[in-house]
Amino acid sequence: MHHVNFQPKSTLFEQGDEAGSLYTLTSGTVRLHYDLPDGRRQIVGFAMPGDFLGLSLEPRFGITADALTPVTACRFDRHRFMNLIDKHPNLMRKMHEVASHELAIAQEHMVVLGRRRAEERVASFLLKWWQRLKRVQGNTPTLPLPMGRQDIADHLGLTIETVSRTLARWMRERIILDVPDGVRILDAAKLEDVLGN
Amino acid sequence: MHHVNFQPKSTLFEQGDEAGSLYTLTSGTVRLHYDLPDGRRQIVGFAMPGDFLGLSLEPRFGITADALTPVTACRFDRHRFMNLIDKHPNLMRKMHEVASHELAIAQEHMVVLGRRRAEERVASFLLKWWQRLKRVQGNTPTLPLPMGRQDIADHLGLTIETVSRTLARWMRERIILDVPDGVRILDAAKLEDVLGN
DNA sequence: CGATATCTTGAGCATTTTCAATAGTAGTGG
DNA sequence: CCACTACTATTGAAAATGCTCAAGATATCG
């Protein structure tokens, strides 16, 4: 195990690569995506400090992971990590807990992609990202968005224009406020109303 | 552990219920879905013989599971199963393998929901269902579809009309053939062409 | 055989995409 | 310091994919 650093836009691992490593993020934001041969891209999630990457037992990575900001992480060799697990059986349980939770998150996101309209998708994204940030950084009204508009669109199954228009409208309506590298949530209740639950 | 039977349309477990059981399917098909309060539904997957249900370690089920056909399954008490795991450590590893695989499947489905057009989604569904069936029943040109059109639509993030129209067109084009309770794949290559890879 | 579910098909419509033009923003080198 | 380039974001107008609504057909089941 040793610490590794990644520059923005650099790749931790790529879709199809042999899954030889396992990471835990200590700082920065990582984009996880599946790319189609014709260039279409689906961002299946964003990773932040505390998250695990590559804990799947599949022989190859199904997705690509690349850094959106400077990233620091702990890298483990897969084989060595598996030996470690034999000595600490509760570690395997922990891995499975994390994986089950990821699966639950993935299933919730399928609902967003399959059954939510554009406005609901963007509201869902802002609120979920805000919640995750709160658990790491504490309660802040200011929401950093290290990912670009295209990334948000590729996460929500929309085009960059639809994301831009939706955010622009909410800025006009004073529901959010434009700040450098992110937004400030002025009226979270209105965003929750959009989701209707 | 004991065997249990379910009639079509009966529920194995429901979204929000305490996750007290764990199942392995021995026969039949199960529909797994997440329901929004306003009635919109996303089917996150279908389970067939050999599949595990409720292996997540979250305290409550995130989704509902109900039988599409008569179903037989083995039911395990969660607590007792966990004790069993303490005696057989490689069982925990197996569970994690299954969960990782489910996660990979979920991520691939996100691509379908977020970035594929209607025609591609239906082609993807037919081909994936066909592949899964081959692993259980061997190579058959006839593809049973125990789920209804509305279920397919709810799985693909489409309306029943779009699914119906797409299948109807492929029947006219002799790419598939209408048979009772399913379809016969006449030209799998054409369906793969739709996916463009 | 009648009643209820599900499925199909058509026509019009709406949300979101596409296309295109403009405006920022950052980084680079003269 | 400023011009130049490249990249990203915004905005408008037109187009299209898939949806809604409605009617009819087919299947299922008591």
Side-chain angles (χ1 to χ4, degrees):
Chain A
M1 187 273 264
H2 55 109
H3 287 269
V4 280
N5 295 299
F6 296 94
Q7 290 305 308
K9 294 171 201 282
S10 70
T11 301
L12 283 79
F13 54 80
E14 205 150 355
Q15 190 175 331
D17 281 1
E18 202 192 334
S21 302
L22 202 146
Y23 302 85
T24 76
L25 267 201
T26 49
S27 77
T29 307
V30 171
R31 175 174 71 180
L32 303 166
H33 52 99
Y34 189 110
D35 297 315
L36 290 174
D38 63 2
R40 286 178 290 180
R41 147 176 307 190
Q42 177 64 38
I43 294 182
V44 299
F46 298 100
M48 36 192 320
D51 289 341
F52 292 77
L53 300 180
L55 47 58
S56 157
L57 295 177
E58 311 266 300
R60 296 181 169 278
F61 292 116
I63 55 177
T64 299
D66 40 38
L68 287 171
T69 63
V71 162
T72 60
C74 294
R75 176 199 225 129
F76 299 86
D77 179 77
R78 262 280 270 277
H79 296 108
R80 244 175 267 174
F81 192 80
M82 283 315 172
N83 292 340
L84 196 69
I85 277 175
D86 293 338
K87 283 181 220 136
H88 304 271
N90 51 339
L91 199 57
M92 187 78 239
R93 191 200 161 98
K94 188 72 199 163
M95 272 180 89
H96 183 240
E97 265 172 36
V98 173
S100 320
H101 189 244
E102 296 261 300
L103 182 60
I105 303 271
Q107 287 171 342
E108 280 181 46
H109 197 58
M110 286 191 220
V111 186
V112 173
L113 293 172
R115 284 299 177 228
R116 295 283 196 186
R117 25 185 76 284
E119 196 184 44
E120 298 177 292
R121 296 187 202 192
V122 181
S124 157
F125 168 73
L126 286 182
L127 289 170
K128 278 184 186 154
W129 185 247
W130 197 32
Q131 258 188 288
R132 285 182 74 189
L133 232 86
K134 275 195 234 178
R135 280 191 289 116
V136 176
Q137 308 201 346
N139 206 327
T140 47
T142 298
L143 187 60
L145 295 175
M147 67 292 287
R149 296 288 190 270
Q150 185 63 61
D151 292 327
I152 298 175
D154 285 343
H155 184 47
L156 299 176
L158 300 171
T159 58
I160 186 175
E161 292 94 332
T162 301
V163 172
S164 183
R165 273 187 257 267
T166 306
L167 293 175
R169 182 160 48 74
W170 287 342
M171 287 174 191
R172 265 179 271 128
E173 295 171 0
R174 306 284 163 197
I175 292 168
I176 58 176
L177 183 69
D178 196 15
V179 297
D181 305 312
V183 295
R184 183 180 289 250
I185 308 288
L186 299 178
D187 194 346
K190 279 247 175 62
L191 293 178
E192 270 150 16
D193 286 351
V194 169
L195 295 178
N197 56 43
Chain B
M1 184 276 266
H2 54 110
H3 287 267
V4 280
N5 295 301
F6 296 93
Q7 290 307 308
K9 292 169 202 281
S10 69
T11 301
L12 283 78
F13 53 82
E14 206 150 353
Q15 189 175 330
D17 281 1
E18 201 190 338
S21 302
L22 202 146
Y23 302 85
T24 74
L25 267 201
T26 50
S27 76
T29 306
V30 171
R31 173 175 72 179
L32 305 165
H33 52 98
Y34 188 111
D35 295 315
L36 289 174
D38 64 1
R40 286 179 288 180
R41 148 176 306 193
Q42 176 64 37
I43 293 183
V44 300
F46 299 99
M48 35 193 314
D51 289 341
F52 292 78
L53 299 181
L55 46 59
S56 157
L57 295 177
E58 311 265 301
R60 294 181 171 278
F61 292 117
I63 55 178
T64 298
D66 38 40
L68 288 171
T69 63
V71 161
T72 60
C74 294
R75 175 198 226 131
F76 299 86
D77 178 79
R78 261 279 269 275
H79 296 109
R80 243 176 267 176
F81 191 80
M82 283 315 173
N83 293 338
L84 196 70
I85 276 176
D86 294 338
K87 284 181 218 136
H88 304 271
N90 51 339
L91 199 57
M92 186 77 238
R93 189 199 162 97
K94 188 72 200 164
M95 272 180 87
H96 183 239
E97 264 171 38
V98 172
S100 318
H101 189 244
E102 295 262 301
L103 182 59
I105 303 271
Q107 288 171 341
E108 279 180 46
H109 197 58
M110 286 191 218
V111 186
V112 173
L113 293 172
R115 284 300 179 227
R116 294 284 196 186
R117 18 186 82 288
E119 196 186 43
E120 296 177 295
R121 296 187 201 191
V122 182
S124 158
F125 168 73
L126 286 182
L127 289 170
K128 279 185 185 153
W129 185 248
W130 197 32
Q131 258 189 287
R132 286 182 75 190
L133 232 85
K134 275 194 233 179
R135 279 191 291 115
V136 176
Q137 309 202 345
N139 207 327
T140 47
T142 298
L143 188 58
L145 295 175
M147 67 292 288
R149 297 286 189 269
Q150 185 63 60
D151 292 327
I152 299 176
D154 286 342
H155 184 47
L156 299 176
L158 299 171
T159 58
I160 186 175
E161 293 94 332
T162 300
V163 172
S164 183
R165 272 187 258 268
T166 306
L167 292 175
R169 181 160 48 73
W170 287 342
M171 287 174 190
R172 264 179 274 130
E173 295 171 358
R174 306 285 165 197
I175 292 167
I176 58 177
L177 184 69
D178 196 15
V179 299
D181 304 314
V183 295
R184 183 179 289 251
I185 308 287
L186 300 177
D187 194 347
K190 279 248 173 62
L191 293 178
E192 270 150 17
D193 286 352
V194 169
L195 295 179
N197 57 42

